[in-house]
Amino acid sequence: MSEPLRVGSDYWPVWACTYAGSRPIGPAALDCVRVIVIRSGSALLVGELGQRLVKTGDVVLLAANVLCGSEPEGHITLTTIHADTDYVIDQVYWQHAGLVRDRLDAQDFAATIYAEPAQVLSLGERQAETLTTWLDEMVALSAERPVARYFFRMQALWFSIAHVIAPFIKASPVRISAARPSHVRPTLPRERRFAPIREEARRVAELLRTSPERRWTLAALAMEVHLSPAQLGRVFVDAFGKTPLAFLTMVRAERLARYLRETDLTVTEAMWRVGWRSRSHGTELFRQYVGLTPGAYRRRQGSCGRN
């Protein structure tokens, strides 16, 4: 699912869904943290992880806005937990309350210790089986209304699952002192949504998603939202964790992957439609984000389109 689970004013900061099937799932990036538990079967992941084979007992951890897709090897069952990025940062803040001074400090701290935006955690089948009951209940509650009634149970399930997988997460060693200076900056919480903090960032993301074929520059985007290029860069990175032009590359890679799966456009024609005028340049950028060249990706999809 590509949108937050929301009905009316209901909103889950953490929720889950289960997929069972054999069809490929195209590369996609969501503005939330994803924890994907492989419950049975195996699949080849493609995206910013490169190409990685995952199997029963593996857990895939994806930071916000990380591009990832999968190609099942036969039938696969997986459960994906979606967690609001701010919700996760709040937990880092309280987990390390003796070391960080505010939530923005916690955001920097999390980015330092969890420097890898995508990880495959090998729990093993026996350890992963301990998550089964919790995952099933979380999926069931995610469809319930009203949200407030089950909020604490959902948190309990999330913490139980996180407690099991946390020891497997690769973290960078950080020397940090509780006496270090606090950042001089506002500490009010951000609006709790799977969305950017500023309207300008939302508008730029919309422009890039709807018109990736345009020859965008940072200056041109900044003019669209009446900010300086430097201001836009700060606002956008704060919202999405990427610069606008890096975000554009991700959108183009995602759109090109869709064209290669769903149309018979040649690779060159598809690249032109997403805004890449140079096939060699587009091929290299696509490979960096998806882990395959466009031609190899199409062949894996079993497409009859022309290259």
Side-chain angles (χ1 to χ4, degrees), residues 4-278:
L5 194 63
R6 187 192 304 273
V7 175
S9 60
D10 284 349
Y11 174 74
W12 286 112
V14 58
W15 60 278
C17 61
T18 293
Y19 167 80
S22 57
R23 64 177 177 82
I25 300 174
L30 302 183
D31 190 24
C32 61
V33 174
R34 287 177 285 174
V35 178
I36 306 170
V37 182
I38 312 300
R39 303 179 63 171
S40 67
S42 60
L44 183 69
L45 296 184
V46 293
E48 294 185 44
L49 270 168
Q51 297 183 59
R52 289 287 300 274
L53 183 66
V54 293
K55 60 186 184 303
T56 305
D58 288 343
V59 175
V60 183
L61 179 62
L62 301 174
N65 296 301
V66 171
L67 199 66
C68 186
S70 66
E71 300 171 8
E73 296 186 326
H75 191 277
I76 191 169
T77 301
L78 55 85
T79 295
T80 303
I81 301 171
H82 305 73
D84 182 299
T85 306
D86 281 349
Y87 178 74
V88 174
I89 292 299
D90 281 347
Q91 291 165 23
V92 172
Y93 169 71
W94 288 112
Q95 181 183 10
H96 300 283
L99 300 178
V100 296
R101 301 301 184 93
D102 56 49
R103 284 170 174 77
L104 293 176
D105 203 14
Q107 182 173 331
D108 292 343
F109 182 73
T112 301
I113 62 174
Y114 303 122
E116 296 185 35
Q119 297 186 34
V120 175
L121 317 178
S122 298
L123 272 65
E125 292 187 33
R126 181 173 298 181
Q127 187 78 300
E129 281 180 5
T130 65
L131 306 179
T132 299
T133 302
W134 298 326
L135 291 170
D136 288 342
E137 185 178 356
M138 180 176 278
V139 170
L141 289 181
S142 293
E144 294 289 340
R145 299 293 182 275
V147 167
R149 179 184 302 172
Y150 304 103
F151 175 74
F152 293 108
R153 182 55 186 166
M154 286 289 279
Q155 284 201 106
L157 293 168
W158 164 246
F159 288 144
S160 295
I161 294 167
H163 177 71
V164 172
I165 69 173
F168 295 87
I169 299 175
K170 296 176 184 176
S172 302
V174 176
R175 292 187 177 276
I176 183 169
S177 167
R180 73 179 194 167
S182 177
H183 294 284
V184 182
R185 54 190 177 189
T187 59
L188 292 176
R190 287 170 36 175
E191 184 182 6
R192 302 308 189 199
R193 301 177 59 193
F194 287 140
I197 186 174
R198 290 274 296 267
E199 175 59 31
E200 294 91 340
R202 285 196 289 270
R203 173 62 179 152
V204 167
E206 181 184 0
L207 287 170
L208 297 176
R209 286 191 179 110
T210 57
S211 302
E213 74 283 352
R214 290 182 57 178
R215 294 177 179 269
W216 291 111
T217 63
L218 185 60
L221 289 167
M223 288 181 62
E224 292 280 351
V225 293
H226 310 294
L227 292 176
S228 71
Q231 287 176 315
L232 174 59
R234 288 193 297 271
V235 166
F236 198 91
V237 169
D238 179 66
F240 290 102
K242 299 178 185 288
T243 66
L245 297 183
F247 186 88
L248 174 59
T249 299
M250 182 185 72
V251 169
R252 285 173 169 171
E254 187 174 345
R255 185 75 55 87
L256 179 58
R258 186 180 308 128
Y259 283 144
L260 296 175
R261 291 194 311 273
E262 300 175 2
T263 77
D264 62 354
L265 292 169
T266 67
V267 171
T268 300
E269 290 169 341
M271 282 187 173
W272 271 79
R273 289 203 180 188
V274 304
W276 281 328
R277 304 294 185 259
S278 165

Side-chain angles (χ1 to χ4, degrees), residues 279-300:
R279 176 160 174 162
S280 60
H281 181 62
T283 294
E284 178 57 25
L285 292 175
F286 184 85
R287 187 191 61 76
Q288 289 175 11
Y289 270 83
V290 179
L292 299 168
T293 65
Y297 180 80
R298 166 164 277 173
R299 288 191 293 275
R300 281 191 180 276

